[in-house]
Amino acid sequence: MLELHVWGAVFGVPSIDPECIAAVTYLHNAIQDQSEWRIIPSNDASVSPSITNDSADPSLPARTDLLPALNHDGVWTSGYRAIVRYLIAKSLAVDLDAGLTAKQRADVAAFSAYLGVHASALLDLSLYVSAANWSATTRPAYSSLLSFPLTWTVPPLIRADAIQRVEHLGLAELDTDFDPHGGLHLTAGRDALPETFRKHLPGTSKHKNTVKEEMTPEQAVAIRLFSLTENCLGTLEGLLSKAEREPRFFAGEELTSLDCLAFGYLALMLKAPVPRAFIKDWMAEHAARLTAFVDDLLANSVPSTGSTVWAAVPQRGYLSATGRVLDSVIRHTPVLGEHYAGEVRRRCEEKTVGIDQRAVSLAASLLFTGAAFGYLAYWYRNLPPFGARSQTWRVYKAGGSRLSQFGELGSMLDSVLGPVQPISSPMAAGGGTGGHIVDIDSEVD
């Protein structure tokens, strides 16, 4: 039995993740007997201990928390392309690319990498980086798939990863988004130039500022988004066959692995009800074949949510949810997360159950390290304060010495010199009780 673990269905599409949609579409069309596999919407990327580098950039570190994940008799495989390779190598499914030529297979590899770089970045910008789309659409979708307290921990980590992936594009303004009442929409594209710029164009009037100086950051983002959308989706629109019915990336009616992967990205771009729908608006105006492609596959090439291949959502208690929260925190901890993920994978591959000698050694090391840090913290808190928190003022009796206020040296001098004996005045001694004051006038030459 093949078990495909995915993120759950949202927006009327099989999953919130493009590769999960692609994997569901591929298995649905490549496995004839639908009783041989099932879809488990586990919504838990930590179920798979498999480590894979399924990204288009081989220099990126391998990921250990990736869905979709395929479980075949205890053997885990993560990532769409890795799952397809495993199914073909084990003869578990039909090779959808079997009818392609060598050149077409090379095109499949090239355009799959293209989707992993450009379409993935465009989808990240729309669903995760845009603050308006994230708060109105993506975050509530994850909340419907996850249980408390995972709704407060997992989605922010997913969004942080997405922002990091597109950080090189320089579109940080989308993270805070702009005022929706400002009169500018992300779909403005090339028409987003401000009115003040138009009257400063050469030939109309004397201008002082450049184009870049006249544009606000939000307007620059809008034009940049239009350019990214046009470059990515315009290329895909040109690759599709011009058939009126069932458009495909290669001529014919049979699906390929490239069709499945492209459908995963395009379905989320087109069907997600986001308020900043710059991708959907561009597709509606310039990509009629892409829209027909998505609608055709969604109607005929994916299993419905009521199909028998869909298993029930696994029910987990609060203890399991708490364990998953800790698992997410540890996996995203620098240095420790990599060692933790590697140990989980090793135990799964070796089918280790319970506590072994290696686990005891690791636990002892963690305990010793924790004790050392605890002792250092205790020692630091007991250090003398860097400057007294309270000031003490002492009142000395009249006639007493104040040498002691100068520390140890003053105390030593005070003990050597003895107490100071003040000289009493006659008035203080009472000798002048009968005296009187006499005024004397005198002249001095």
Side-chain angles (χ1 to χ4, degrees), residues 111-386:
F111 290 123
S112 296
Y114 182 86
L115 288 170
V117 174
H118 297 281
S120 176
L122 199 59
L123 190 62
D124 285 339
L125 289 172
S126 175
L127 294 183
Y128 299 97
V129 181
S130 173
N133 294 349
W134 167 258
S135 59
T137 303
T138 315
R139 180 64 183 266
Y142 277 105
S143 298
S144 66
L145 299 175
L146 298 169
S147 59
F148 182 82
L150 298 177
T151 53
W152 293 95
T153 57
V154 175
L157 293 175
I158 295 175
R159 189 189 187 212
D161 290 341
I163 292 176
Q164 186 178 8
R165 288 195 297 267
V166 297
E167 188 177 6
H168 63 282
L169 296 177
L171 296 175
E173 291 87 350
L174 281 176
D175 191 9
T176 55
D177 235 322
F178 53 89
D179 184 9
H181 304 292
L184 175 68
H185 196 271
L186 288 178
T187 57
R190 290 171 177 163
D191 298 330
L193 298 178
E195 184 67 26
T196 54
F197 165 70
R198 296 192 181 100
K199 62 184 181 181
H200 288 303
L201 285 173
T204 56
S205 62
K206 186 177 180 181
H207 61 283
K208 299 179 180 179
N209 297 331
T210 63
V211 176
K212 185 176 181 180
E213 292 171 341
E214 287 287 349
M215 293 170 57
T216 64
E218 294 82 5
Q219 292 166 332
V221 168
I223 293 179
R224 183 72 184 279
L225 279 177
F226 181 90
S227 176
L228 292 174
T229 305
E230 186 178 38
N231 291 338
C232 176
L233 299 184
T235 301
L236 297 179
E237 176 74 7
L239 291 174
L240 274 177
S241 62
K242 295 180 174 56
E244 295 182 1
R245 294 183 55 196
E246 300 181 352
R248 301 287 185 266
F249 282 94
F250 298 99
E253 298 181 358
E254 299 296 331
L255 282 179
T256 63
S257 61
L258 178 61
D259 292 314
C260 297
L261 184 59
F263 170 68
Y265 287 104
L266 295 173
L268 286 174
M269 293 179 183
L270 190 61
K271 300 301 180 181
V274 293
R276 301 287 190 266
F278 60 96
I279 299 179
K280 186 187 301 184
D281 293 343
W282 191 94
M283 291 178 67
E285 185 176 354
H286 302 93
R289 289 201 300 273
L290 288 179
T291 303
F293 170 77
V294 171
D295 293 338
D296 175 66
L297 265 66
L298 192 60
N300 303 310
S301 300
V302 296
S304 61
T305 53
S307 175
T308 56
V309 296
W310 284 93
V313 179
Q315 299 295 328
R316 297 183 177 90
Y318 286 104
L319 183 61
S320 176
T322 304
R324 186 176 168 189
V325 169
L326 294 176
D327 178 84
S328 299
V329 171
I330 295 175
R331 285 178 183 269
H332 287 79
T333 302
V335 182
L336 179 61
E338 298 178 2
H339 293 285
Y340 171 77
E343 181 63 20
V344 171
R345 179 172 180 266
R346 183 196 67 83
R347 291 176 63 86
C348 181
E349 290 180 346
E350 298 178 0
K351 300 186 183 302
T352 303
V353 180
I355 301 177
D356 57 354
Q357 184 176 359
R358 182 183 176 90
V360 173
S361 301
L362 290 175
S365 301
L366 290 175
L367 183 62
F368 176 78
T369 305
F373 276 104
Y375 174 76
L376 289 175
Y378 175 79
W379 173 76
Y380 177 79
R381 290 180 62 86
N382 284 274
L383 286 175
F386 300 105

Side-chain angles (χ1 to χ4, degrees), residues 11 27 64 73 87 184 190 242 253 287 337 379 392 402 440:
F11 314 141
L27 267 69
T64 57
D73 297 333
L87 292 173
L184 175 68
R190 290 171 177 163
K242 295 180 174 56
E253 298 181 358
W379 173 76
T392 304
R402 295 188 179 182
I440 302 176

Side-chain angles (χ1 to χ4, degrees), residues 7-175:
W7 286 99
V10 293
F11 314 141
V13 295
S15 177
I16 197 174
D17 182 81
E19 292 201 1
C20 289
I21 299 176
V24 170
T25 307
Y26 190 96
L27 267 69
H28 179 70
N29 292 273
I31 298 179
Q32 303 298 330
D33 189 358
Q34 297 296 303
S35 63
E36 295 181 356
W37 70 292
R38 62 174 180 167
I39 306 171
I40 302 178
S42 57
N43 303 316
D44 185 3
S46 64
V47 296
S48 172
S50 175
I51 295 180
T52 182
N53 192 355
D54 202 38
S55 63
D57 188 356
S59 64
L60 294 177
R63 296 180 60 185
T64 57
D65 54 345
L66 182 66
L67 289 181
L70 182 69
N71 181 15
H72 177 226
D73 297 333
V75 179
W76 288 90
T77 308
S78 298
Y80 170 68
R81 283 179 286 269
I83 290 175
V84 171
R85 289 193 297 265
Y86 180 83
L87 292 173
I88 296 174
K90 298 296 182 180
S91 300
L92 298 173
V94 176
D95 185 4
L96 297 184
D97 299 337
L100 301 180
T101 63
K103 181 181 181 302
Q104 289 175 332
R105 285 179 175 268
D107 290 339
V108 168
F111 290 123
S112 296
Y114 182 86
L115 288 170
V117 174
H118 297 281
S120 176
L122 199 59
L123 190 62
D124 285 339
L125 289 172
S126 175
L127 294 183
Y128 299 97
V129 181
S130 173
N133 294 349
W134 167 258
S135 59
T137 303
T138 315
R139 180 64 183 266
Y142 277 105
S143 298
S144 66
L145 299 175
L146 298 169
S147 59
F148 182 82
L150 298 177
T151 53
W152 293 95
T153 57
V154 175
L157 293 175
I158 295 175
R159 189 189 187 212
D161 290 341
I163 292 176
Q164 186 178 8
R165 288 195 297 267
V166 297
E167 188 177 6
H168 63 282
L169 296 177
L171 296 175
E173 291 87 350
L174 281 176
D175 191 9

